[in-house]
């Protein structure tokens, strides 16, 4: 109980906070030249800082712990064999298997839940996350609590509970998942660190721009990355043309 409901959410809070603040510092020190939407900057003031702080604090503590408790209660009531294992230690093969499967499950569930949130009925909730058209990594979990559950917690973590994965595997997955989503929201394209930030940055730039998934697999299958690919091709052609002209 303590591992599923307390320790894992606490670990998620620590990873999210430390990496999020690191990305803020990184961007302040030398990120301006690598900003994808270079014409847009977030103008922070006290009111905005407190608004973001309260939203992230609530989502990363109250919502995370409450969701973990509900998932733990349901799995222990419906099927006691489900839930995270704490005894022993997982093999490398088991960890790799669970993380790979979890990545695919997260892609499928996140894509469809995220695309659902862009429908007319649900966008009233999702528009909170889209208040920032040129986001930064710290804002990855800035959203409505309902979205936090439907489109973040369930897609990313439900497999680990249903598959009775080891708690250590879950901790590694939490770290990987949060680092990935924060870097995809970072809005900076560093030549030495590319996590397909342009893919999700384009999604925030235009709410009808597609790119609903995490890996790009479902977007490729459904064709919802066509506009982004056209933009990348145009940008690349423009860059090559500029270089040719300079030479």
């Amino acid at each position: 109980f303590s591992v599923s409901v307390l320790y894992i959410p606490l670990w998620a809070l620590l990873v999210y906070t430390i990496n999020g603040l690191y990305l803020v510092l990184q961007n302040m020190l030398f990120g301006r030249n690598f900003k994808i939407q270079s014409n847009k900057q977030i103008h922070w003031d006290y009111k905005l800082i407190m608004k973001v702080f309260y939203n992230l604090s609530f989502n990363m503590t109250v919502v995370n712990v409450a969701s973990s408790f509900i998932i733990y209660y349901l799995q222990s009531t419906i099927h006691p064999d489900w839930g995270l294992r704490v005894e022993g230690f997982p093999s490398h093969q088991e960890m790799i298997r669970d993380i790979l499967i979890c990545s695919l499950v997260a892609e499928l569930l996140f894509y469809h839940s995220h695309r659902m949130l862009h429908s007319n009925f649900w966008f009233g909730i999702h528009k909170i996350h889209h208040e920032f058209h040129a986001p930064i990594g710290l804002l990855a979990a800035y959203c409505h609590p309902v979205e936090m559950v439907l489109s973040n917690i369930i897609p990313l973590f439900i497999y680990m509970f249903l598959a009775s994965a080891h708690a250590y595997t879950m901790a590694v997955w939490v770290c990987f998942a949060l680092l990935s989503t924060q870097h995809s929201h970072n809005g900076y394209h560093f030549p030495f660190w590319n996590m397909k930030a342009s893919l999700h940055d384009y999604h925030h730039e235009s709410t009808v721009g597609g790119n609903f998934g995490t890996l790009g697999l479902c977007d490729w299958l459904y064709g919802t990355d066509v506009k982004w690919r056209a933009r990348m091709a145009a940008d690349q052609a423009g860059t090559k043309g500029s270089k040719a002209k300079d030479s």
Side-chain angles (χ1 to χ4, degrees):
F1 174 84
S2 59
V3 171
S4 299
V5 179
L6 296 177
Y7 295 154
I8 293 298
L10 177 60
W11 171 241
L13 176 63
L14 289 175
V15 171
Y16 187 94
T17 303
I18 293 173
N19 189 64
L21 293 177
Y22 160 73
L23 290 176
V24 171
L25 180 62
Q26 178 192 65
N27 298 342
M28 290 174 58
L29 292 178
F30 53 87
R32 189 173 297 273
N33 294 332
F34 301 100
K35 181 72 173 175
I36 297 174
Q37 298 183 59
S38 57
N39 60 326
K40 296 180 181 179
Q41 296 290 336
I42 299 176
H43 300 288
W44 295 98
D45 56 26
Y46 177 79
K47 183 178 180 180
L48 182 59
I49 291 174
M50 296 310 297
K51 179 182 179 182
V52 169
F53 173 78
Y54 287 135
N55 181 278
L56 292 178
S57 298
F58 186 77
N59 283 341
M60 294 302 298
T61 55
V62 177
V63 177
N64 264 356
V65 172
S67 299
S68 298
F69 176 80
I70 293 172
I71 292 174
Y72 176 85
Y73 174 79
L74 290 176
Q75 63 88 14
S76 60
T77 302
I78 299 173
H79 201 302
D81 291 334
W82 289 344
L84 299 179
R85 305 188 337 266
V86 294
E87 66 281 351
F89 198 79
S91 65
H92 292 101
Q93 293 85 348
E94 178 188 329
M95 290 183 63
I96 293 172
R97 179 202 66 199
D98 285 341
I99 289 176
L100 287 177
I101 294 176
C102 197
S103 298
L104 293 175
V105 172
E107 166 73 358
L108 289 170
L109 295 182
F110 180 79
Y111 176 90
H112 290 95
S113 62
H114 188 193
R115 192 170 180 178
M116 177 191 74
L117 289 171
H118 275 264
S119 65
N120 292 332
F121 181 80
W122 289 95
F123 194 72
I125 289 175
H126 189 49
K127 69 179 182 181
I128 295 176
H129 184 65
H130 277 276
E131 288 177 5
F132 298 91
H133 297 289
I136 59 175
L138 189 63
L139 298 173
Y142 178 83
C143 61
H144 192 283
V146 173
E147 177 180 348
M148 185 69 179
V149 175
L150 292 180
S151 196
N152 291 333
I153 295 175
I154 292 178
L156 288 177
F157 305 117
I158 193 64
Y159 168 80
M160 291 294 184
F161 285 95
L162 297 181
S164 298
H166 197 278
Y168 184 78
T169 305
M170 178 65 146
V172 173
W173 168 249
V174 165
C175 187
F176 173 80
L178 292 183
L179 293 180
S180 177
T181 189
Q182 284 190 319
H183 280 281
S184 68
H185 280 85
N186 200 29
Y188 290 82
H189 186 99
F190 296 107
F192 53 85
W193 185 251
N194 179 19
M195 290 285 287
K196 289 189 175 180
S198 62
L199 191 150
H200 200 70
D201 197 80
Y202 179 69
H203 174 81
H204 273 267
E205 182 182 1
S206 172
T207 56
V208 295
N211 295 355
F212 300 108
T214 58
L215 301 176
L217 178 61
C218 285
D219 284 295
W220 174 73
L221 289 173
Y222 287 103
T224 47
D225 61 350
V226 173
K227 293 181 180 179
W228 172 72
R229 290 183 182 277
R231 163 75 74 82
M232 292 299 101
D235 289 347
Q236 187 175 14
T239 300
K240 290 181 179 179
S242 178
K243 289 182 179 179
K245 184 178 180 180
D246 293 339
S247 61

